[in-house]
Amino acid sequence: GGLSLVRQMSHRKFEAPRHGSLGFMPRKRTHHHKGKIKSFPKDNKALAPHFTAFMGYKAGMTHICREVAKPGSLAHKKEVVEAVTIIETPPMVVVGVVGYVETPRGLRSLTTVFAQHLSEEFMRRLYKNWYHSKKKAFTKYAKKYTDAKKPIEKELERIVKYCQVVRVIAHTQIKKVGLGQKKAHVMEIQINGGESKDKVEFAKKWFEKEVPVSGVFAQNEMIDVIGVTKGKGYEGVTTRWGVTRLPRKTHRGLRKVACIGSWHPARVKFSVPRAGQNGYHHRTEINKKIYRVGDGKKKDNATTENDITIKAITPMGGFPHYGVVDEDWLMVKGCVVGPKKRVLTLRKSLLVHTSQNAKEEIALKFIDTSSKFGHGRFQTKDEKDRYMGVLKKRN
């Protein structure tokens, strides 16, 4: 009887699940600053060709108010306030197309075709030191377009003939985001839908053109965000792994692991929590719902049916540590990895969504644009001026 009694009682004394996940080992600084897509959504040839990913820059967070449409839920038809992240997504430029052959050992790239005219921000990515370079990249390649032998057409035909997977090379227009950085971020975006011929034609049609984020993602869609988390530097074992603090009177500190293993084997096992680098890790976070796809050209892109004030998404005084969002943007529920200004890779979901959460239609009632620096009392400059009245002129 005594034994079964112990089994039913669960206490820290009787069971000790480990602290922290071993799935994210090794916890060290990532080698690539931009999010890397490790797998694209499954291709469906019945659909029309379309892009499956995009890139944006994290601007900051705000909150929204909306009415929940979830029959059966206690919150159904009630108003909720939720935190949202704004990701600035200026249109991306397509500069090339890559064809991949499926082999038993995975994908093998067959050939790459670049566009005739490439922008400076893309070229900067190819150089360590643009200022001192001769800037000759792709000058000879561009002549292939006027060659009588039509080498470009031949390469595209090879992709059509042999390749199963077609991806475009696209870069961000980083000068449109006020980061001070001039070197664009480049990525491959897979084209899903249609046969290889349709894919290549689709890619060629987009050469040197701008792809808007509204052409890739839509409102109410679930997406995955891939990026690099905020770096925290070298941190102790309590913060890094969440192990329990030792009692107050412990000799030589208490934010430690008391026993780092048995005498034999006479080594420290890899699974024992130790101090070290925390943050700046590469992470993929799935199922982020898009609440709104904002148009940068519109001055009223933060206006809703219930709140008809004409206002843009940028809060008063700008997003802290970022500035003004005047390009297209995405509003995503909840938080995303990384600090402000971090480049994020946005990917279409790999899953087929059936849950009530995923299918819910989002109708925003109010988007907060008060200052995020201090206690924001006003939604717009106009509102503040009206409240304050005529102020004394500062000469």
Side-chain angles (χ1 to χ4, degrees):
L3 191 85
S4 61
L5 227 170
V6 170
R7 275 289 135 83
Q8 283 158 9
M9 298 163 39
S10 188
H11 190 277
R12 200 71 179 90
K13 196 187 277 182
F14 303 122
E15 56 155 5
R18 66 160 294 114
H19 283 281
S21 167
L22 290 180
F24 295 111
M25 298 277 275
R27 291 189 182 225
K28 57 185 195 184
R29 290 195 291 272
T30 179
H31 287 295
H32 34 245
H33 179 77
K34 70 177 171 53
K36 178 183 177 184
I37 297 184
K38 304 205 175 164
S39 49
F40 281 94
K42 197 162 183 273
D43 193 5
N44 178 2
K45 291 187 175 169
L47 302 172
H50 57 276
F51 294 117
T52 52
F54 207 79
M55 242 176 196
Y57 298 88
K58 177 170 169 176
M61 293 185 75
T62 180
H63 63 261
I64 57 103
C65 176
R66 70 183 183 92
E67 196 173 273
V68 178
K70 250 195 212 172
S73 161
L74 286 173
H76 182 51
K77 295 206 166 166
K78 291 192 170 66
E79 287 188 349
V80 291
V81 172
E82 288 172 330
V84 290
T85 305
I86 306 300
I87 302 169
E88 193 167 9
T89 51
M92 288 181 75
V93 181
V94 174
V95 290
V97 58
V98 196
Y100 288 91
V101 182
E102 284 172 355
T103 71
R105 293 185 302 281
L107 296 177
R108 176 177 73 84
S109 66
L110 179 77
T111 182
T112 309
V113 176
F114 282 94
Q116 191 171 1
H117 306 288
L118 305 172
S119 66
E120 184 195 297
E121 47 193 352
F122 170 70
M123 306 279 258
R124 278 175 181 270
R125 176 56 63 190
L126 313 176
Y127 286 95
K128 265 277 183 277
N129 190 338
W130 174 254
Y131 171 69
H132 277 305
S133 69
K134 295 199 175 116
K135 311 177 179 44
K136 299 285 278 184
F138 284 99
T139 45
K140 287 184 181 168
Y141 187 90
K143 290 176 186 157
K144 287 188 181 181
Y145 274 87
T146 51
D147 194 333
K149 290 180 181 166
K150 303 213 167 139
I152 298 288
E153 296 300 320
K154 276 185 187 151
E155 288 303 299
L156 288 172
E157 279 161 22
R158 279 183 69 212
I159 296 180
V160 172
K161 188 174 174 188
Y162 298 113
C163 296
Q164 292 81 36
V165 175
V166 179
R167 295 179 185 169
V168 295
I169 297 172
H171 69 81
T172 58
Q173 299 187 62
I174 198 160
K175 65 172 184 291
K176 292 195 170 180
V177 188
L179 294 185
Q181 186 178 326
K182 297 174 186 174
K183 193 182 281 198
H185 289 100
V186 184
M187 71 180 294
E188 281 187 10
I189 304 175
Q190 189 161 309
I191 299 173
N192 279 0
E195 297 294 332
S196 295
K197 185 166 180 287
D198 309 326
K199 290 184 166 84
V200 172
E201 275 172 16
F202 179 78
K204 194 157 187 300
K205 188 185 80 180
W206 280 104
F207 267 17
E208 299 174 27
K209 292 199 176 72
E210 295 185 348
V211 180
V213 70
S214 53
V216 182
F217 297 121
Q219 190 175 332
N220 304 325
E221 193 176 339
M222 289 293 220
I223 62 167
D224 303 341
V225 177
I226 306 169
V228 175
T229 60
K230 252 184 214 170
K232 310 274 187 189
Y234 193 99
E235 282 197 314
V237 70
T238 309
T239 309
R240 193 174 182 225
W241 292 96
V243 298
T244 313
R245 286 171 49 205
L246 300 177
R248 183 182 59 80
K249 293 178 76 169
T250 316
H251 184 47
R252 294 208 185 115
L254 47 80
R255 293 172 66 90
K256 293 177 176 294
V257 173
C259 168
I260 57 169
S262 52
W263 188 326
H264 288 295
R267 294 172 289 285
V268 178
K269 285 176 72 174
F270 79 95
S271 53
V272 175
R274 311 301 308 264
Q277 170 68 27
N278 192 18
Y280 203 72
H281 307 308
H282 185 277
R283 294 288 180 263
T284 303
E285 212 166 357
I286 65 169
N287 298 353
K288 300 277 181 196
K289 197 170 180 83
I290 296 177
Y291 273 15
R292 182 173 275 200
V293 181
D295 186 345
K297 296 183 196 67
K298 290 188 177 162
K299 291 281 168 281
D300 61 347
N301 55 28
T303 303
T304 62
E305 277 186 13
N306 294 48
D307 170 31
I308 54 173
T309 322
I310 292 177
K311 58 182 185 178
I313 191 68
T314 311
M316 289 189 68
F319 280 104
H321 300 110
Y322 188 85
V324 178
V325 171
D326 45 16
E327 292 296 321
D328 297 351
W329 46 268
L330 281 188
M331 180 190 284
V332 176
K333 182 186 175 182
C335 60
V336 298
V337 294
K340 321 298 184 277
K341 304 180 187 165
R342 177 79 91 222
V343 61
L344 299 168
T345 306
L346 315 166
R347 179 188 66 188
K348 279 188 182 288
S349 179
L350 304 183
L351 316 167
V352 177
H353 289 285
T354 53
S355 72
Q356 203 177 14
N357 264 349
K359 296 201 161 168
E360 190 181 353
E361 298 281 323
I362 301 296
L364 302 182
K365 281 195 163 180
F366 167 75
I367 300 171
D368 183 64
T369 55
S370 63
S371 172
K372 303 287 160 227
F373 203 90
H375 304 278
R377 290 164 57 196
F378 307 104
Q379 292 295 324
T380 58
K381 174 88 170 63
D382 184 45
E383 185 189 334
K384 183 177 179 179
D385 292 345
R386 281 207 309 274
Y387 178 82
M388 292 292 195
V390 181
L391 296 174
K392 190 173 134 190
K393 288 262 193 301
R394 287 205 187 96
N395 47 357

